Amino acid sequence: MPEAELRPLYSTAEIADRLHQMAGNIAGEMSPGFVMVAILTGSFVFAADLIRALAAEGCDPAVDFMILSSYAGSTRSSGTVTLLRDAALDVRGRDVLVVDDILDSGRTLAFAQDHLRARGASSVRICVLLDKATAAREDHCHADFVGFRCPDAFVVGYGMDHDHKFRGLPHIAVLCQ
Ligand code: 5GP
Ligand code: MG
């Protein structure tokens, strides 16, 4: 396979600026006792920076994680979402903010939202770093907080991988194959 080319899309500084704006919006709109549930693995860098940006806004949410998988080493979603690890916190009666890297077809976040509602969360809002301009969006999934509306391309870096590579890139790039 030829070497993949990486084209820079969002710089480290652009991401940091946007995160501080998003944290201000989240702090203004979420109730004080909310729970942040980050979807692993792709959101771990975003979630780590977001929780510190939220702290700077005076917010101190409980944090938990769910592991959901639909890609399995490919650049295309398999279409089936698998719950590999559920959030351990009891979310009954609490406002939840689901944090993920990318909203693409919406299947992953629709699954997370349905699952957390079924577990008794009083509200489930969605925060994504990237909202992809895709024709494949399933219309029942909508993000309440969005970092960037990005082009319909496969992106890596800032926690996002392709086949377990590129997660440590400090910026976001388009993977051109
Ligand atoms: P959806 O279920 O909305 O189609 O896909 C969302 C999930 O697929 C995201 O949580 C993310 O993990 C993964 N994904 C979607 N698009 C991309 C992409 O361009 N790059 C990477 N690395 N992951 C993606
Ligand atoms: Mg993901």
Side-chain angles (χ1 to χ4, degrees), residues 71 100-102 104-108 132 153-155 160-161:
Y71 268 61
D100 203 2
D101 52 357
I102 305 184
D104 188 8
S105 72
R107 276 190 289 265
T108 301
K132 220 188 246 194
F154 195 81
V155 299
M160 295 172 281
D161 76 319

Side-chain angles (χ1 to χ4, degrees), residues 39-43 68 70-71 74-75 77 81 100-110 130 132 136-137 150-151 153-157 159-162 167:
I39 308 298
L40 295 174
T41 305
S43 75
L68 296 178
S70 63
Y71 268 61
S74 151
T75 56
S77 169
V81 180
D100 203 2
D101 52 357
I102 305 184
L103 176 59
D104 188 8
S105 72
R107 276 190 289 265
T108 301
L109 286 164
L130 304 178
K132 220 188 246 194
R137 176 69 45 81
C150 82
F154 195 81
V155 299
V156 295
M160 295 172 281
D161 76 319
H162 175 243
R167 290 199 199 273

Side-chain angles (χ1 to χ4, degrees), residues 36-140:
M36 175 170 137
V37 175
I39 308 298
L40 295 174
T41 305
S43 75
F44 78 108
V45 174
F46 174 43
D49 282 347
L50 186 63
I51 191 81
R52 287 175 286 183
L54 284 167
E57 298 291 332
C59 261
D60 188 18
V63 179
D64 206 338
F65 299 94
M66 283 168 74
I67 306 182
L68 296 178
S69 176
S70 63
Y71 268 61
S74 151
T75 56
R76 273 168 204 274
S77 169
S78 68
T80 310
V81 180
T82 311
L83 175 65
L84 300 178
R85 190 248 184 211
D86 201 352
L89 279 175
D90 185 358
V91 296
R92 268 178 299 177
R94 302 185 72 176
D95 294 317
V96 175
L97 182 69
V98 175
V99 171
D100 203 2
D101 52 357
I102 305 184
L103 176 59
D104 188 8
S105 72
R107 276 190 289 265
T108 301
L109 286 164
F111 180 98
Q113 198 164 34
D114 290 349
H115 182 78
L116 291 161
R117 281 185 184 137
R119 286 191 51 190
S122 20
S123 72
V124 183
R125 296 225 260 169
I126 289 178
C127 170
V128 290
L129 180 59
L130 304 178
D131 184 353
K132 220 188 246 194
T134 170
R137 176 69 45 81
E138 298 184 2
D139 55 14
H140 54 270

